[in-house]
């Protein structure tokens, strides 16, 4: 067998603190405003992707969590793969021009690929995976094709897959600059600070159970652009100011400002959704209860000690510093008991050792003000929060060794599902 041309990578999820909502060009996925996010640890949430190119493959194929998907049915998949292939083609062209003998230039751009991709978190958790998915796809293509482009340049390729994916190309704190060029050349991600910059910052994801199917981000933001008058004000004045204030808060590790801007921006994004016609509402009763609890928690602490943010769904992401996390987790597990059928370890896995014993969660509120708050708030129906994920700021896409490949010797998924 000849040399195997393959790359395996993993890529992280990111959660915006200044939201992307609205496109000025839907084909190229160019946003109406800049946005800023925090990359979360791949130890808890990530997508792993293996891509192999071979002259023996008759066509491009892709498997997602063990199920084959039709690439040609997704314009976004076709766009990102084609864009990466063109970059490879240009590289091969350059190698030939540079006098590298034709037989040494591997024509990877001409060969079909097999793509195999898996999330390490259950899809049932209701967490969007398109950002980590496209970041993994593009990082794997970049590694396979040996592309000379910088990470920011490659983030443009992830962007044509899904806007928010361009921010998952970096770890730490990441801005997606909206740009002004019609061809999207300047619409890319840049790292604002790396993951080591603020090690005390942690995140808690509260997965809220939801029966209704939400309107997709893609469809929702399009209707907002067309119908909301509040939205214009957000794009013109609010976001540009917040981007600067947020960068300053991050540079200074100023949690109170970071948190206030995060909450205000989440609130405005959901207000703009309600101002869309017909209105869109992503938050449910549990989401709104969590907003109330965070403000009450901050009042009990006498400072802004926690921030919430919500994307296009009811799940809450809470940002807080490590020292405040224990009380927050205790508060949430008291107010949102798990369903009997859910094992404690699955409901709140404990990577940071917050609980002595998972069974004791919610029993040890040490701050009397928070204990009083828990008493007043009371308990919500078991299962309103389906799962709690405790995580922290993480790094960008990682290139993994061949031993981590998801493809077999013959280039088929090692683990396939019906
Ligand atoms: C609410 O990136 O999923 O999560 O570009 O159409 O794929 P497309 O949309 P997507 O939108 C994410 C919207 C958001 C806010 C954010 O992540 O900034």
């Amino acid at each position: 067998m000849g040399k195997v041309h393959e790359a395996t990578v993993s890529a992280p999820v990111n959660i915006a603190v200044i939201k992307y909502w609205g496109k000025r060009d839907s084909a190229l996925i160019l946003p109406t405003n800049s946005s800023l996010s925090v990359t979360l640890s791949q130890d808890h949430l990530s997508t792993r992707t293996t891509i192999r190119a071979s002259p023996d493959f008759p066509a491009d194929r892709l498997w997602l969590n063990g199920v084959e998907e039709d690439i040609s049915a997704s314009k976004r998949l076709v766009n990102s793969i084609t864009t990466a292939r063109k970059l490879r083609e240009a590289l091969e062209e350059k190698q030939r021009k540079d006098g590298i003998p034709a037989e040494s230039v591997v024509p990877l751009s001409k060969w079909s690929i097999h793509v195999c991709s898996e999330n390490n978190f259950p899809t049932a958790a209701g967490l969007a995976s398109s950002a980590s998915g496209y970041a993994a796809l593009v990082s794997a293509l970049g590694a396979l094709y040996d592309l000379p482009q910088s990470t920011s340049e490659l983030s443009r390729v992830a962007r044509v897959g899904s806007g928010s994916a361009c921010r998952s190309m970096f770890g730490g704190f990441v801005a997606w600059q909206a740009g002004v060029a019609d061809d999207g050349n300047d619409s890319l991600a840049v790292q604002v600070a790396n993951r080591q910059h603020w090690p005390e910052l942690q995140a808690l994801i509260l997965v809220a159970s939801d029966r209704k199917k939400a309107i997709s981000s893609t469809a929702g933001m399009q209707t907002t652009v067309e119908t909301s008058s509040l939205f214009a004000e957000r794009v013109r004045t609010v976001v540009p100011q917040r981007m600067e204030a947020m960068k300053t808060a991050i540079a200074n590790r100023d949690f109170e400002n970071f948190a206030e801007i995060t909450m205000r921006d989440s609130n405005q994004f959901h207000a703009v959704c309600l101002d869309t016609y017909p209105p869109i509402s992503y938050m449910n009763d549990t989401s709104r209860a969590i907003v109330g609890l965070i403000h009450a928690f901050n009042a009990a602490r006498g400072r802004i000690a926690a921030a919430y943010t919500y994307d296009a769904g009811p799940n809450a992401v809470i940002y807080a510093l490590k020292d405040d996390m224990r009380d927050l987790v205790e508060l949430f597990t008291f107010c949102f008991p798990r369903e009997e059928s859910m094992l404690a370890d699955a409901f709140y896995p404990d990577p940071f050792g917050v609980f002595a014993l998972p069974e004791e969660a919610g029993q040890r509120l040490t701050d009397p003000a928070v204990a009083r708050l828990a008493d007043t708030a009371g308990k919500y129906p078991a299962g309103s929060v389906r799962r709690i994920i405790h995580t922290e700021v993480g790094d960008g896409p990682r290139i993994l060794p061949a031993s981590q490949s998801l493809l077999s010797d013959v280039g088929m998924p090692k683990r396939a599902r019906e």
Side-chain angles (χ1 to χ4, degrees):
M1 206 169 67
K3 182 175 169 356
V4 172
H5 294 276
E6 186 183 282
T8 299
V9 307
S10 69
V13 162
N14 74 77
I15 299 292
V17 289
I18 307 281
K19 303 295 185 192
Y20 148 54
W21 195 253
K23 295 182 181 69
R24 60 189 161 89
D25 184 318
S26 315
L28 291 171
I29 310 199
L30 301 180
T32 48
N33 59 266
S34 295
S35 55
L36 201 148
S37 60
V38 179
T39 295
L40 300 183
S41 168
Q42 294 176 62
D43 294 345
H44 311 118
L45 303 166
S46 79
T47 301
R48 189 198 296 181
T49 297
T50 299
I51 307 185
R52 185 184 296 191
S54 164
D56 302 333
F57 294 156
D60 290 342
R61 294 178 74 179
L62 177 143
W63 293 264
L64 215 58
N65 292 323
V67 179
E68 181 156 20
E69 309 273 327
D70 177 9
I71 296 183
S72 63
S74 162
K75 231 183 11 211
R76 289 159 172 239
L77 273 175
V78 172
N79 273 354
S80 26
I81 293 172
T82 311
T83 310
R85 256 198 191 114
K86 280 192 188 132
L87 296 176
R88 171 67 198 185
E89 219 170 71
L91 174 66
E92 290 167 12
E93 188 58 31
K94 183 176 179 299
Q95 289 173 335
R96 277 185 220 104
K97 272 206 187 111
D98 287 351
I100 297 178
E103 62 275 16
S104 305
V105 177
V106 188
L108 294 179
S109 65
K110 303 279 181 297
W111 299 351
S112 290
I113 55 172
H114 281 187
V115 182
C116 189
S117 193
E118 283 182 13
N119 300 324
N120 76 347
F121 49 96
T123 329
L127 296 163
S129 54
S130 70
S132 60
Y134 276 102
L137 176 82
V138 171
S139 304
L141 286 169
L144 170 71
Y145 289 162
D146 206 12
L147 296 179
Q149 277 75 18
S150 70
T151 307
S152 272
E153 287 168 326
L154 285 180
S155 78
R156 288 191 296 233
V157 188
R159 191 203 72 222
V160 301
S162 178
S164 55
C166 71
R167 298 185 312 236
S168 274
M169 295 294 285
F170 288 100
F173 302 80
V174 188
W176 172 11
Q177 298 173 345
V180 292
D182 285 342
D183 66 357
N185 212 34
D186 55 355
S187 186
L188 39 74
V190 292
Q191 191 178 55
V192 168
N194 67 23
R195 70 175 295 207
Q196 282 87 19
H197 171 72
W198 200 353
E200 299 81 21
L201 188 72
Q202 296 189 339
L204 204 61
I205 303 170
L206 304 172
V207 179
S209 82
D210 190 31
R211 268 161 201 80
K212 285 178 294 168
K213 173 122 183 60
I215 300 166
S216 75
S217 312
T218 310
M221 65 175 80
Q222 180 65 24
T223 317
T224 300
V225 172
E226 286 161 10
T227 63
S228 166
S229 48
L230 279 187
F231 173 72
E233 171 66 7
R234 167 171 171 76
V235 167
R236 199 167 52 86
T237 59
V238 181
V239 172
Q241 282 168 14
R242 282 190 184 153
M243 283 295 290
E244 289 319 302
M246 183 55 95
K247 285 181 196 165
T248 307
I250 292 168
N252 298 333
R253 295 183 202 91
D254 170 354
F255 185 79
E256 296 217 29
N257 272 315
F258 170 87
E260 183 172 336
I261 301 166
T262 297
M263 291 187 281
R264 284 180 178 275
D265 203 70
S266 174
N267 294 341
Q268 187 176 72
F269 155 48
H270 291 277
V272 155
C273 286
L274 272 187
D275 188 49
T276 299
Y277 192 82
I280 308 169
S281 65
Y282 287 121
M283 292 164 70
N284 64 17
D285 287 350
T286 306
S287 325
R288 283 184 286 273
I290 293 167
V291 168
L293 275 176
I294 291 292
H295 285 287
F297 179 82
N298 290 340
R301 278 286 206 257
R303 61 188 161 86
I304 303 180
Y308 51 78
T309 185
Y310 298 81
D311 283 340
N315 299 335
V317 177
I318 309 297
Y319 289 112
L321 299 179
K322 199 160 116 200
D323 289 345
D324 289 307
M325 237 351 150
R326 176 183 292 262
D327 281 348
L328 272 171
V329 173
E330 295 288 344
L331 175 65
F332 286 128
T333 49
F334 176 87
C335 294
F336 298 102
R338 72 187 153 89
E339 233 158 19
E340 290 270 335
S341 61
M342 187 109 196
L343 289 174
D345 289 356
F347 182 69
Y348 34 69
D350 190 15
F352 300 91
V354 167
F355 309 108
L357 271 175
E359 292 300 342
E360 287 178 10
Q363 309 297 315
R364 300 177 309 161
L365 285 156
T366 44
D367 176 345
V370 178
R372 270 198 303 280
L373 161 60
D375 265 348
T376 323
K379 288 187 185 291
Y380 288 81
S384 308
V385 168
R386 280 198 287 139
R387 187 184 292 260
I388 297 181
I389 299 166
H390 185 183
T391 188
E392 61 189 340
V393 185
D395 58 355
R398 302 173 184 166
I399 296 182
L400 303 177
S403 58
Q404 307 275 305
S405 170
L406 297 172
L407 292 171
S408 70
D409 290 350
V410 292
M412 292 298 283
K414 283 181 183 164
R415 213 173 55 87
R417 260 191 275 144
E418 284 307 297

Short mmCIF file of all heavy atoms in Angstrom, two decimals, residues 14-16 18-21 23 29 35-36 76 130 159 161-165 167 176 217-219 221 269 310-312, ligand 1:
data_model
loop_
_atom_site.label_atom_id
_atom_site.label_comp_id
_atom_site.label_asym_id
_atom_site.label_seq_id
_atom_site.Cartn_x
_atom_site.Cartn_y
_atom_site.Cartn_z
N ASN A 14 -17.38 27.19 20.75
CA ASN A 14 -17.21 28.54 21.32
C ASN A 14 -18.57 29.12 21.66
O ASN A 14 -19.57 28.78 21.03
CB ASN A 14 -16.44 29.45 20.35
CG ASN A 14 -17.28 29.90 19.15
OD1 ASN A 14 -18.13 30.79 19.26
ND2 ASN A 14 -17.08 29.26 18.00
N ILE A 15 -18.60 29.96 22.70
CA ILE A 15 -19.86 30.61 23.10
C ILE A 15 -19.65 32.12 23.06
O ILE A 15 -18.77 32.65 23.75
CB ILE A 15 -20.28 30.18 24.52
CG1 ILE A 15 -20.52 28.65 24.58
CG2 ILE A 15 -21.53 30.94 24.98
CD1 ILE A 15 -21.72 28.14 23.79
N ALA A 16 -20.46 32.79 22.24
CA ALA A 16 -20.28 34.23 22.05
C ALA A 16 -20.71 35.03 23.28
O ALA A 16 -21.72 34.70 23.92
CB ALA A 16 -21.07 34.69 20.83
N ILE A 18 -20.41 38.56 22.70
CA ILE A 18 -21.05 39.57 21.83
C ILE A 18 -21.56 38.76 20.65
O ILE A 18 -20.78 38.12 19.94
CB ILE A 18 -20.03 40.62 21.30
CG1 ILE A 18 -19.23 41.28 22.43
CG2 ILE A 18 -20.73 41.66 20.42
CD1 ILE A 18 -19.94 42.36 23.18
N LYS A 19 -22.87 38.77 20.44
CA LYS A 19 -23.47 37.83 19.51
C LYS A 19 -23.37 38.26 18.05
O LYS A 19 -23.55 39.43 17.71
CB LYS A 19 -24.96 37.63 19.84
CG LYS A 19 -25.25 37.15 21.25
CD LYS A 19 -24.72 35.77 21.54
CE LYS A 19 -25.16 35.30 22.93
NZ LYS A 19 -24.43 34.08 23.34
N TYR A 20 -23.14 37.25 17.22
CA TYR A 20 -23.30 37.36 15.76
C TYR A 20 -24.76 37.06 15.46
O TYR A 20 -25.27 36.02 15.84
CB TYR A 20 -22.35 36.35 15.10
CG TYR A 20 -22.80 35.74 13.79
CD1 TYR A 20 -23.19 36.54 12.70
CD2 TYR A 20 -22.80 34.36 13.62
CE1 TYR A 20 -23.57 35.96 11.50
CE2 TYR A 20 -23.17 33.77 12.42
CZ TYR A 20 -23.57 34.57 11.36
OH TYR A 20 -23.94 34.00 10.18
N TRP A 21 -25.43 37.97 14.80
CA TRP A 21 -26.82 37.75 14.42
C TRP A 21 -27.13 38.64 13.24
O TRP A 21 -27.26 39.85 13.41
CB TRP A 21 -27.77 38.03 15.60
CG TRP A 21 -29.17 37.48 15.38
CD1 TRP A 21 -30.31 38.20 15.10
CD2 TRP A 21 -29.55 36.10 15.43
NE1 TRP A 21 -31.37 37.35 14.96
CE2 TRP A 21 -30.94 36.04 15.16
CE3 TRP A 21 -28.86 34.91 15.64
CZ2 TRP A 21 -31.65 34.84 15.10
CZ3 TRP A 21 -29.56 33.72 15.61
CH2 TRP A 21 -30.95 33.70 15.35
N LYS A 23 -26.77 38.59 8.56
CA LYS A 23 -25.78 38.50 7.47
C LYS A 23 -25.99 39.64 6.49
O LYS A 23 -27.13 40.01 6.20
CB LYS A 23 -25.95 37.18 6.71
CG LYS A 23 -25.65 35.93 7.51
CD LYS A 23 -25.81 34.70 6.63
CE LYS A 23 -25.56 33.40 7.37
NZ LYS A 23 -26.59 33.07 8.37
N ILE A 29 -21.52 34.13 3.73
CA ILE A 29 -21.67 34.25 5.19
C ILE A 29 -20.83 35.41 5.73
O ILE A 29 -19.84 35.24 6.44
CB ILE A 29 -21.40 32.92 5.94
CG1 ILE A 29 -22.21 31.78 5.26
CG2 ILE A 29 -21.73 33.04 7.42
CD1 ILE A 29 -22.44 30.54 6.08
N SER A 35 -18.30 40.08 16.25
CA SER A 35 -18.73 39.33 17.44
C SER A 35 -17.49 38.85 18.20
O SER A 35 -16.38 38.93 17.68
CB SER A 35 -19.62 38.16 17.04
OG SER A 35 -18.97 37.33 16.09
N LEU A 36 -17.71 38.37 19.41
CA LEU A 36 -16.57 37.95 20.24
C LEU A 36 -16.99 36.77 21.10
O LEU A 36 -18.09 36.75 21.64
CB LEU A 36 -16.13 39.13 21.10
CG LEU A 36 -14.70 39.09 21.65
CD1 LEU A 36 -14.14 40.50 21.78
CD2 LEU A 36 -14.62 38.38 22.98
N ARG A 76 -23.03 24.43 2.06
CA ARG A 76 -21.98 24.89 2.96
C ARG A 76 -20.81 23.92 2.99
O ARG A 76 -19.65 24.33 3.01
CB ARG A 76 -22.56 25.05 4.36
CG ARG A 76 -23.49 26.22 4.43
CD ARG A 76 -24.42 26.10 5.61
NE ARG A 76 -25.18 27.31 5.78
CZ ARG A 76 -25.15 28.05 6.88
NH1 ARG A 76 -24.43 27.69 7.90
NH2 ARG A 76 -25.87 29.14 6.95
N SER A 130 -22.26 22.82 15.00
CA SER A 130 -21.78 23.22 13.67
C SER A 130 -20.48 24.03 13.78
O SER A 130 -19.62 23.92 12.91
CB SER A 130 -22.85 24.00 12.91
OG SER A 130 -23.05 25.26 13.48
N ARG A 159 -15.67 29.95 7.99
CA ARG A 159 -16.79 30.88 7.98
C ARG A 159 -17.81 30.54 6.89
O ARG A 159 -19.02 30.66 7.12
CB ARG A 159 -16.25 32.30 7.75
CG ARG A 159 -17.25 33.41 7.96
CD ARG A 159 -16.81 34.68 7.20
NE ARG A 159 -16.99 34.51 5.77
CZ ARG A 159 -16.13 34.91 4.85
NH1 ARG A 159 -15.01 35.54 5.18
NH2 ARG A 159 -16.39 34.70 3.57
N GLY A 161 -18.65 27.75 5.98
CA GLY A 161 -19.42 26.58 6.44
C GLY A 161 -20.50 27.02 7.42
O GLY A 161 -21.68 26.72 7.25
N SER A 162 -20.10 27.77 8.44
CA SER A 162 -21.04 28.33 9.41
C SER A 162 -20.34 29.52 10.04
O SER A 162 -19.18 29.40 10.44
CB SER A 162 -21.40 27.29 10.47
OG SER A 162 -22.27 27.86 11.42
N GLY A 163 -21.05 30.66 10.11
CA GLY A 163 -20.39 31.89 10.55
C GLY A 163 -19.61 31.72 11.85
O GLY A 163 -18.41 31.99 11.92
N SER A 164 -20.31 31.22 12.87
CA SER A 164 -19.67 31.15 14.19
C SER A 164 -18.48 30.18 14.21
O SER A 164 -17.66 30.22 15.12
CB SER A 164 -20.70 30.75 15.25
OG SER A 164 -21.33 29.54 14.89
N ALA A 165 -18.36 29.31 13.21
CA ALA A 165 -17.26 28.34 13.16
C ALA A 165 -15.90 29.02 13.03
O ALA A 165 -14.89 28.48 13.50
CB ALA A 165 -17.47 27.36 12.01
N ARG A 167 -14.76 31.36 14.60
CA ARG A 167 -14.20 31.69 15.93
C ARG A 167 -13.66 30.45 16.63
O ARG A 167 -12.88 30.57 17.57
CB ARG A 167 -15.27 32.38 16.79
CG ARG A 167 -15.76 33.73 16.22
CD ARG A 167 -16.72 34.41 17.20
NE ARG A 167 -17.72 33.47 17.66
CZ ARG A 167 -19.05 33.62 17.55
NH1 ARG A 167 -19.55 34.73 17.01
NH2 ARG A 167 -19.86 32.70 18.00
N TRP A 176 -14.47 37.89 15.81
CA TRP A 176 -14.72 37.73 14.37
C TRP A 176 -14.96 39.15 13.86
O TRP A 176 -15.96 39.77 14.20
CB TRP A 176 -15.93 36.85 14.14
CG TRP A 176 -16.41 36.76 12.71
CD1 TRP A 176 -15.78 37.20 11.57
CD2 TRP A 176 -17.64 36.18 12.27
NE1 TRP A 176 -16.53 36.92 10.45
CE2 TRP A 176 -17.68 36.30 10.86
CE3 TRP A 176 -18.71 35.56 12.92
CZ2 TRP A 176 -18.76 35.84 10.10
CZ3 TRP A 176 -19.79 35.10 12.17
CH2 TRP A 176 -19.79 35.24 10.77
N SER A 217 -30.72 29.24 13.48
CA SER A 217 -30.06 30.55 13.50
C SER A 217 -30.10 31.17 12.11
O SER A 217 -30.40 32.35 11.94
CB SER A 217 -28.59 30.43 13.89
OG SER A 217 -28.43 29.65 15.01
N THR A 218 -29.80 30.34 11.12
CA THR A 218 -29.71 30.83 9.74
C THR A 218 -31.02 31.50 9.30
O THR A 218 -31.01 32.61 8.78
CB THR A 218 -29.37 29.66 8.80
OG1 THR A 218 -28.25 28.97 9.34
CG2 THR A 218 -29.07 30.15 7.40
N ALA A 219 -32.15 30.81 9.54
CA ALA A 219 -33.44 31.35 9.13
C ALA A 219 -33.84 32.51 10.02
O ALA A 219 -34.32 33.54 9.54
CB ALA A 219 -34.50 30.24 9.19
N MET A 221 -32.03 34.69 11.79
CA MET A 221 -31.31 35.97 11.63
C MET A 221 -31.70 36.67 10.33
O MET A 221 -31.72 37.89 10.25
CB MET A 221 -29.79 35.79 11.78
CG MET A 221 -29.08 34.97 10.76
SD MET A 221 -27.27 34.99 11.03
CE MET A 221 -27.04 33.80 12.32
N PHE A 269 -29.74 40.61 22.17
CA PHE A 269 -29.94 39.65 21.07
C PHE A 269 -31.35 39.05 21.15
O PHE A 269 -32.07 38.99 20.15
CB PHE A 269 -28.83 38.59 21.11
CG PHE A 269 -29.17 37.28 20.49
CD1 PHE A 269 -29.74 37.20 19.22
CD2 PHE A 269 -28.91 36.08 21.16
CE1 PHE A 269 -30.05 35.97 18.64
CE2 PHE A 269 -29.23 34.86 20.59
CZ PHE A 269 -29.81 34.80 19.33
N TYR A 310 -27.30 33.26 26.32
CA TYR A 310 -28.12 32.26 25.63
C TYR A 310 -27.96 32.44 24.13
O TYR A 310 -28.00 33.56 23.63
CB TYR A 310 -29.61 32.45 25.96
CG TYR A 310 -29.91 32.26 27.43
CD1 TYR A 310 -29.69 33.30 28.33
CD2 TYR A 310 -30.41 31.06 27.91
CE1 TYR A 310 -29.94 33.14 29.69
CE2 TYR A 310 -30.67 30.89 29.27
CZ TYR A 310 -30.43 31.93 30.15
OH TYR A 310 -30.68 31.76 31.48
N ASP A 311 -27.81 31.33 23.40
CA ASP A 311 -27.79 31.38 21.94
C ASP A 311 -29.19 31.09 21.39
O ASP A 311 -30.16 31.37 22.07
CB ASP A 311 -26.74 30.39 21.40
CG ASP A 311 -25.32 30.95 21.57
OD1 ASP A 311 -25.18 32.18 21.72
OD2 ASP A 311 -24.36 30.16 21.55
N ALA A 312 -29.26 30.51 20.22
CA ALA A 312 -30.57 30.27 19.60
C ALA A 312 -31.24 29.03 20.17
O ALA A 312 -31.56 28.09 19.45
CB ALA A 312 -30.40 30.17 18.09
C1 LIG B 1 -26.89 32.86 18.29
O1 LIG B 1 -23.10 30.47 13.09
O2 LIG B 1 -25.06 28.97 13.58
O3 LIG B 1 -25.08 31.33 18.23
O4 LIG B 1 -23.71 31.41 9.96
O5 LIG B 1 -26.05 30.71 9.49
O6 LIG B 1 -24.36 29.02 10.24
P1 LIG B 1 -24.82 30.47 10.30
O7 LIG B 1 -25.25 30.75 11.81
P2 LIG B 1 -24.56 30.31 13.18
O8 LIG B 1 -25.17 31.41 14.16
C2 LIG B 1 -24.81 31.50 15.51
C3 LIG B 1 -25.67 32.50 16.19
C4 LIG B 1 -25.52 32.57 17.70
C5 LIG B 1 -24.60 33.70 18.11
C6 LIG B 1 -23.11 33.48 17.96
O9 LIG B 1 -22.62 32.35 18.05
O10 LIG B 1 -22.42 34.51 17.80
#
